Amino acid sequence: MKQYEVFQMKFCGKEMAEDQVNVPVKAEFTLGGKTTEVRGFCTGEGNFAVRYLPLETGTCTYRVEYPGADGKTEILEGSEEVAPAESGTHGPVRTAGTAFAYEDGNSYIPFGTTIYALPAQSGAQIEQTLETLKQAPFNKLRMCVFPKYYDFNREDPELFPFERGEGEKKWNVRRPCFAFWDKLDDILIRLNNLGIEADLILFHPYDCWGFSELSMEKAKTYLEYVVRRLAAFPNIWWSLANEYDLMDYTEGEWKEFAAFIGEMDPWGHLLSNHNFVHPWDFADKNTTHCCLQSSDAVKIPDFLKKYEKPVMYDEVGYEGNIPYNWGNLSAFEEVNRFWKIFCYGGYATHGETFMEKMDGSQVLWWSKGGTLKGESPKRIGFMKELAYSLPAPMTFYEARQVPETQEELRKLVDSGQPGISDNSVFRCMCRITESEFEHMREFMSQPVLHHGDQVFLAYLGDACTICGMMELPQTGKYRVDVIDVWEMTRKTVLEDVNGPVQVPLPGKTGMAVLAVKTGE
């Protein structure tokens, strides 16, 4: 065994003809004084497997029970030494306040991309996609388990997750298609080898095969096989759905799914749910982070305050040229949204939707992978390199403290609070409507990150200004760099400054300002 790597044990036993999901295979692994109970899974033809993910080093003892060929329970006991993790292997990603970190404590900053229907593609298409990802900057990938039926995605896949039952849209979820799951295993393993987290979408509404219409019982059977088989992968994230509110499950049923996975998953991988219009209840105890379809970055600070969890904008619009407004962003706008979201304290996910002609046979990265054609990935790579060079965590910096409610503001004004009661803008904000007040609060916030008093990073976005003000601490000395996010350049413009400083700028869009403390 090696720390943070899947340890798998295989057994040959009794053929399970009817139910190949709820198989009587279970194991206990004890490491570092902690016992982890793991449920095994069927791999076909009377074969079973158990997977375990060791999170620390030391001696690991195990006890496995499985049905032998004669139907009697077989027991296997033993021990293995868990060797230290390989260099560059960090374990599962966890939340760390409103940021992310690996199991070993190293910072993880998501720079994701989207290939919804990757597991439904041919072997050659998957190979080409993985080769492209080797050169791309992305360390997270959103993809679906079920095939997707949507524009540019009208084909039946070669393999489905389950054997068909009786009827066109009927599936026998108790009989997995093992070739499909072997294929998905291989994708997950190879993504992990590339350092890419797999944000696995468990349900979605874009369907013609009946997977979006599974009963609760069938849906939970499917989820049981997913978790039994995949939970030991270190790079798994659970996304309950893509655009969950387009499906017919109730909010209570979605929470049942979240609780079911939370109970089944021995390693507590990240879990969230992605919306079409109505955001998921991120206060749900099994939900680890916020996942949203939005590009309205100014809303991020309120999500951070409300839920105290990381905020992922997993669908911000795609660089491309298709007729749909969500899929024809310029490369600059895709990069612009990444920077705004990041500097408001959140994280963004890339997508690409280029086609050469208007027909359904086009291969779009967003759905099928292949090769990247856009100009945004290399700029996202530049951004990623900068982000990882900064101390962690970088958190949203409220340069001007505005009370969260009008009532709080009115009390400050009435009490004669200096800087508040003598400010005409704040007095005006006491009189306007609640919706106008919220708009003003958002208008007055700026996309600025900081790490204590050591580093400040501001993004000017669409502003075409020849100078900008930066409020630095009154003590200490700071170097100020101007970053061109499109040209991917960084230039020092001020040194040994503090307090309010005027930063010279080139009068163009896409500029960021980075101030780093260099002395006391």
Side-chain angles (χ1 to χ4, degrees), residues 185-236:
D185 279 354
D186 184 64
I187 293 172
L188 294 173
I189 291 167
R190 295 177 68 183
L191 289 175
N192 189 54
N193 291 340
L194 293 174
I196 298 174
E197 301 294 303
D199 195 356
L200 197 63
I201 299 166
L202 300 170
F203 297 96
H204 67 78
Y206 300 109
D207 173 57
C208 71
W209 301 281
F211 295 114
S212 63
E213 302 167 15
L214 295 177
S215 68
M216 285 295 289
E217 179 187 0
K218 289 185 175 181
K220 284 185 176 181
T221 300
Y222 150 64
L223 291 178
E224 176 146 352
Y225 190 75
V226 167
V227 178
R228 283 183 181 227
R229 181 157 185 152
L230 304 182
F233 282 105
N235 59 325
I236 278 286

Side-chain angles (χ1 to χ4, degrees), residues 382 385-387 389-390 455 479-485 487-493 512 514-516:
F382 170 76
E385 185 176 349
L386 173 70
S389 74
L390 302 176
V455 178
R479 182 188 73 244
V480 178
D481 295 349
V482 171
I483 299 165
D484 187 320
V485 308
E487 298 297 338
M488 298 178 286
T489 59
R490 177 174 169 178
K491 179 182 178 182
T492 299
V493 295
L514 176 66
V516 178

Side-chain angles (χ1 to χ4, degrees), residues 430-446:
C430 290
R431 302 189 295 268
I432 58 182
T433 67
E434 285 189 21
S435 61
E436 290 169 337
F437 175 81
E438 287 303 313
H439 172 75
M440 284 299 297
R441 279 187 68 246
E442 292 171 356
F443 176 78
M444 294 171 73
S445 71
Q446 300 297 318

